[in-house]
């Protein structure tokens, strides 16, 4: 398997030209994010990803995790050492506020770093991702005492984190949650119940594991409005704040999975011998609100997993296509040429690169919105970014993971028969990517959220605000004659999106079943439009830089050509998706369930 090379040039171009790093670095609290500092961080992250995480990725996949008779889980060879180095370097707290031991850098800076972790070892990177997500939930909702006690070592990575939602009978339907929490005289709670699919629920990498657990109090109302959130550690703390006695928390099984073998996915049992001690986080019966803080962080992180895995798959496929000699050049007839000379292989690789760039541009732009929403003192500007984040989160998670997964499967196609053989390594990325469209809310759940909560509930207000902005980009493209193809593609995409959104809003009350039947095609339509938009912005930025006679001319010209290829290859899919949304739902509703 080839060495990983962090795509620093692509990352830095998007950070500087599309996501507005200079503007964000000027916001209060982000002054340290100077170009030199960011360049150094990305370079060091690339070295760590390539030198530490990539070499143990295959071991994680092939060895997996082991559960012994005492409920202890061990990870693959080299993982403990890698985690210690990861913690020592301070990577966990890169974008966590300094008051809790983090470095306080913008999310825009940490996002490409996370992409590198996911590219080189997604199963490993899931653990620090959980730490960052849990830290955000505790920062916002926990009491000052809980923050002082738990946050510093979560942020440092000395202790691991999990989130516990799912139960055997309660998957996407959290109203069916049965885990219960009983108050005790000392103000703590005893938890009883079982949770499944808990990533890193048990392992030896950290000295303690901090679980966030959804459970019901005895007097809680039914449904999701009766769920509270509790912090439940693996080990209770002694008088000095160090891990002491074992809590009544046990791993009773680990899953045998299609992919991400290096991460332990655990079944956790709480309260087998008297009750697991827990501490209430936030207000009683409002636990789901707090858990969604963590979940939204995790959903964005899963979105970033998509270009991470896709980039690595693309690099592997490109290297193979450059060295694998097979057949004759279809045009010249020359023998002994690498398969990259075949137009269809080159088309697949160009498609992969274009899709990775579109995902990366969208996610980095969204990361910048997070920073503006958090730090910009102008409430109007911050509010707009917050609305865009809320609207596009289902797209960032749902659409990116669907596309990223496809890129990984396309990489196998470039390898041909050798891609179907585990020894070449490419199959792992396809297997690992399969979970991304499922966990933290399936694509269907993301689509229902987009259509139901983000569009129907607010009457499409934010969507139409974004559409107006997209039309402004079309006008800017029209001023550049050589970008006419991209302008036409984006204009057609925007028209399709608006027409389809009009239909969704007009049909939402009378034909809700039909609308929801088309929710996933609508999400994919929206994602396709966003991809065209971001690639158009990429072309405009490259053209501006070329006109200023700055940078690498060949590289900048290739970005313009890449955007043109994307506009001609993927943008036309929007119209077909629009038809599926507006018309296919009637057949879904009408079809007899008994005849499926």
């Amino acid at each position: 398997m080839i060495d990983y090379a962090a795509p620093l040039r692509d990352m830095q171009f998007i950070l500087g030209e599309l996501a507005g790093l200079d503007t964000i670095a000027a916001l209060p609290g982000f002054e340290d994010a100077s170009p030199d500092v960011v360049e150094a961080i990305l370079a060091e992250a690339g070295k760590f990803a390539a030198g530490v995480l990539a070499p143990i990725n295959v071991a994680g996949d092939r060895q997996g995790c082991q559960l012994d008779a005492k409920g202890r889980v061990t990870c693959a060879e080299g993982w403990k050492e890698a985690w210690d180095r990861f913690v020592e370097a301070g990577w966990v707290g890169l974008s966590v506020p300094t008051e809790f031991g983090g470095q306080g850098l913008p999310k825009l800076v940490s996002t490409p770093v996370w992409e590198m972790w996911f590219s080189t070892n997604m199963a490993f990177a899931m653990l620090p991702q959980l730490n960052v997500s849990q830290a955000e939930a505790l920062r916002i909702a926990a009491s000052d005492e809980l923050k002082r006690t738990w946050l510093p070592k979560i942020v440092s990575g000395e202790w691991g984190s999990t989130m516990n939602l799912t139960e055997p009978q309660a998957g996407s339907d959290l109203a069916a949650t049965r885990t219960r929490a009983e108050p005790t005289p000392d103000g703590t709670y005893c938890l009883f119940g079982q949770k499944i699919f808990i990533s890193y629920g048990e392992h030896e990498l950290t000295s303690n594991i901090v679980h966030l657990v959804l459970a019901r109090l005895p007097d809680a109302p039914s449904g999701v409005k009766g769920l509270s959130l509790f912090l439940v550690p693996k080990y209770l703390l002694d008088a000095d704040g160090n891990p002491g006695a074992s809590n009544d928390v046990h791993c009773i099984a680990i899953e045998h999975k299609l992919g991400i073998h290096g991460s332990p996915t655990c079944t956790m049992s709480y309260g087998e011998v008297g009750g697991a001690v827990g501490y209430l986080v936030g207000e009683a019966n409002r636990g789901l609100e707090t858990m969604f803080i963590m979940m939204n962080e995790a959903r964005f992180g899963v979105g970033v997993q998509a270009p991470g895995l896709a980039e690595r798959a693309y690099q592997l496929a490109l290297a193979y296509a450059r060295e694998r000699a097979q057949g004759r050049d279809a045009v010249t007839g020359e023998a002994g040429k690498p398969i990259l000379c075949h137009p269809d292989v080159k088309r697949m690789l160009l498609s992969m690169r274009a899709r990775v760039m579109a995902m990366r541009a969208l996610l980095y732009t969204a990361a910048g919105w997070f920073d503006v929403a958090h730090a910009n003192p102008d409430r109007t500007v911050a509010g707009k970014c917050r609305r865009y984040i809320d609207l596009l989160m289902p797209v960032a998670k749902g659409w990116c993971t669907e596309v990223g997964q496809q890129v990984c499967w396309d990489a196998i196609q470039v390898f041909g028969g050798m891609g179907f053989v585990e020894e070449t390594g490419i199959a792992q990325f396809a297997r690992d990517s399969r979970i991304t469209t499922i966990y933290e809310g399936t694509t269907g759940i993301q689509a229902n959220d987009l259509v139901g909560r983000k569009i129907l509930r607010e009457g499409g207000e934010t969507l139409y605000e974004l559409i107006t902005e997209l039309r402004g980009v079309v006008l800017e493209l029209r001023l550049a004659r050589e970008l006419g193809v991209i302008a036409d593609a984006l204009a057609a995409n925007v028209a399709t999106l608006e027409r389809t959104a009009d239909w969704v809003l007009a049909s939402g009350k009378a034909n809700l079943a039909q609308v929801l039947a088309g929710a996933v095609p609508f999400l994919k339509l929206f994602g396709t439009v966003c991809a065209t938009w971001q690639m158009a912005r990429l072309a405009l930025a490259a053209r501006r830089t070329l006109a200023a006679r700055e940078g690498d001319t060949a590289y900048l010209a290739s970005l313009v050509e890449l955007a043109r290829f994307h506009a001609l290859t993927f943008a036309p899919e929007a119209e077909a998706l629009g038809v599926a949304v507006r018309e296919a739902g009637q057949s879904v509703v009408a079809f007899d369930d008994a005849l499926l």
Side-chain angles (χ1 to χ4, degrees):
M1 187 179 292
I2 65 162
D3 293 334
Y4 168 75
L8 297 178
R9 182 162 61 172
D10 290 344
M11 290 175 166
Q12 290 170 340
F13 187 84
I14 293 173
L15 289 176
E17 301 298 332
L18 269 66
L21 178 60
D22 56 345
T23 301
I24 288 167
L27 293 174
F30 292 150
E31 295 86 357
D32 289 342
S34 66
D36 290 345
V37 168
V38 173
E39 183 177 355
I41 289 171
L42 296 184
E44 286 304 312
K47 292 176 184 176
F48 193 95
V52 179
L53 299 187
I56 62 172
N57 192 33
V58 173
D61 183 56
R62 294 181 180 174
Q63 296 175 17
C65 302
Q66 305 298 321
L67 173 66
D68 68 17
K70 296 183 178 180
R72 296 175 301 198
V73 173
T74 54
C75 296
E77 182 180 347
W79 283 51
K80 171 60 175 170
E81 293 78 10
W83 179 256
D84 290 344
R85 293 179 65 179
F86 194 87
V87 170
E88 183 181 1
W91 289 118
V92 178
L94 197 63
S95 60
V96 179
T98 55
E99 63 184 299
F100 302 113
Q103 298 177 45
L105 287 165
K107 194 179 192 73
L108 180 56
V109 175
S110 66
T111 297
V113 173
W114 282 105
E115 182 192 320
M116 296 182 213
W117 306 150
F118 295 136
S119 278
T120 49
N121 200 326
M122 180 176 132
F124 179 95
M126 289 169 62
L127 177 55
Q129 182 184 24
L130 285 164
N131 276 44
V132 171
S133 299
Q134 188 181 97
E136 180 68 4
L138 294 176
R139 183 185 71 82
I140 292 174
S143 67
D144 289 341
E145 182 180 359
L146 285 180
K147 290 177 186 177
R148 286 193 301 270
T149 303
W150 300 98
L151 266 177
K153 292 188 178 180
I154 291 170
V155 171
S156 71
E158 186 175 340
W159 296 343
S161 298
T162 74
M163 61 177 176
N164 289 234
L165 291 83
T166 307
E167 299 180 5
Q169 79 294 338
S172 58
D173 181 16
L174 292 175
T177 297
R178 294 175 185 165
T179 299
R180 70 185 196 278
E182 298 179 358
T184 66
D186 65 2
T188 63
Y189 297 81
C190 282
L191 274 72
F192 303 87
Q194 188 179 105
K195 299 287 184 177
I196 63 172
F197 299 154
I198 309 306
S199 298
Y200 282 95
E202 168 61 24
H203 56 85
E204 86 288 13
L205 303 183
T206 62
S207 62
N208 206 352
I209 301 173
V210 183
H211 306 283
L212 284 188
V213 186
L214 281 178
R216 292 188 185 282
L217 291 167
D219 58 351
S222 60
V224 295
K225 293 183 179 180
L227 296 176
S228 299
L229 187 63
F230 299 88
L231 186 155
V232 185
K234 175 181 177 180
Y235 296 109
L236 301 174
L237 303 185
D238 61 22
D240 297 322
N242 298 315
S246 295
N247 203 356
D248 191 3
V249 180
H250 307 279
C251 173
I252 58 175
I254 57 175
E255 303 295 343
H256 302 282
K257 303 166 294 188
L258 175 67
I260 54 170
H261 296 154
S263 68
T265 302
C266 304
T267 297
M268 303 299 297
S269 179
Y270 294 86
E272 289 186 357
V273 288
V277 176
Y279 309 90
L280 181 66
V281 176
E283 297 181 33
N285 303 326
R286 299 187 65 178
L288 193 57
E289 295 175 37
T290 304
M291 185 62 88
F292 265 108
I293 297 170
M294 186 174 185
M295 188 178 294
N296 275 332
E297 281 289 318
R299 283 177 173 174
F300 181 79
V302 173
V304 178
Q305 290 174 3
L309 289 167
E311 169 68 33
R312 185 75 165 117
Y314 164 71
Q315 289 189 17
L316 290 167
L318 178 60
Y320 184 79
R322 282 177 168 159
E323 66 183 24
R324 172 65 167 169
Q326 194 75 189
R328 293 177 176 271
D329 188 305
V331 177
T332 67
E334 185 178 355
K337 300 286 285 182
I339 61 172
L340 183 58
C341 76
H342 300 314
D344 185 60
V345 173
K346 185 175 180 180
R347 177 197 60 81
M348 285 192 285
L349 290 163
L350 196 59
S351 296
M352 295 166 72
R353 175 157 167 71
R355 287 179 151 186
V356 169
M357 287 294 279
M359 288 188 285
R360 184 178 288 137
L362 178 60
L363 290 162
Y364 290 15
T365 298
W369 291 337
F370 272 100
D371 293 324
V372 173
H374 171 71
N376 197 310
D378 187 326
R379 296 179 64 182
T380 300
V381 174
K384 175 184 175 181
C385 287
R386 195 169 291 110
R387 291 194 303 276
Y388 278 15
I389 292 167
D390 289 343
L391 174 66
L392 286 168
M393 183 61 75
V395 177
K397 197 281 183 186
W399 176 79
C400 284
T401 56
E402 291 284 346
V403 171
Q405 179 181 257
Q406 184 60 57
V407 170
C408 290
W409 286 106
D410 288 348
I412 291 179
Q413 194 72 11
V414 172
F415 274 77
M418 294 304 296
F420 203 67
V421 176
E422 287 286 352
E423 281 73 15
T424 59
I426 191 62
Q428 180 188 347
F429 296 91
R431 288 187 286 99
D432 285 355
S433 72
R434 189 62 188 90
I435 189 60
T436 62
T437 64
I438 298 172
Y439 62 9
E440 310 307 341
T442 64
T443 304
I445 289 173
Q446 303 301 321
N448 285 345
D449 180 45
L450 173 64
V451 170
R453 292 183 61 249
K454 307 299 171 60
I455 295 176
L456 289 176
R457 183 177 295 182
E458 70 160 23
E461 183 178 348
T462 303
L463 176 60
Y464 289 124
E465 182 181 5
L466 178 61
I467 285 173
T468 298
E469 185 168 325
L470 298 186
R471 287 207 167 96
V473 177
V474 173
L475 292 176
E476 190 176 354
L477 290 164
R478 296 288 187 207
L479 297 176
R481 186 174 302 174
E482 67 271 26
L483 302 182
V485 168
I486 303 173
D488 291 343
L490 182 58
N493 273 194
V494 172
T496 299
L497 177 61
E498 184 173 41
R499 183 167 65 253
T500 307
D502 289 345
W503 179 86
V504 167
L505 288 166
S507 306
K509 289 185 178 180
N511 299 297
L512 182 59
Q514 291 185 31
V515 171
L516 294 179
V520 168
F522 185 86
L523 182 145
K524 291 181 177 180
L525 162 62
F526 198 3
T528 300
V529 176
C530 287
T532 307
W533 167 39
Q534 293 299 324
M535 293 302 284
R537 294 180 66 225
L538 187 77
L540 286 167
R543 181 180 177 274
R544 283 194 303 269
T545 311
L546 278 168
R549 300 182 183 279
E550 298 173 351
D552 184 331
T553 301
Y555 171 70
L556 294 168
S558 76
L559 295 182
V560 175
E561 197 61 50
L562 189 68
R564 185 178 290 114
F565 171 81
H566 187 278
L568 293 169
T569 303
F570 298 112
E573 295 176 356
E575 179 56 33
L577 289 164
V579 171
V581 175
R582 298 189 302 270
E583 301 180 19
Q586 184 175 354
S587 296
V588 174
V589 173
F591 202 94
D592 187 343
D593 294 0
L595 299 177
L596 282 170

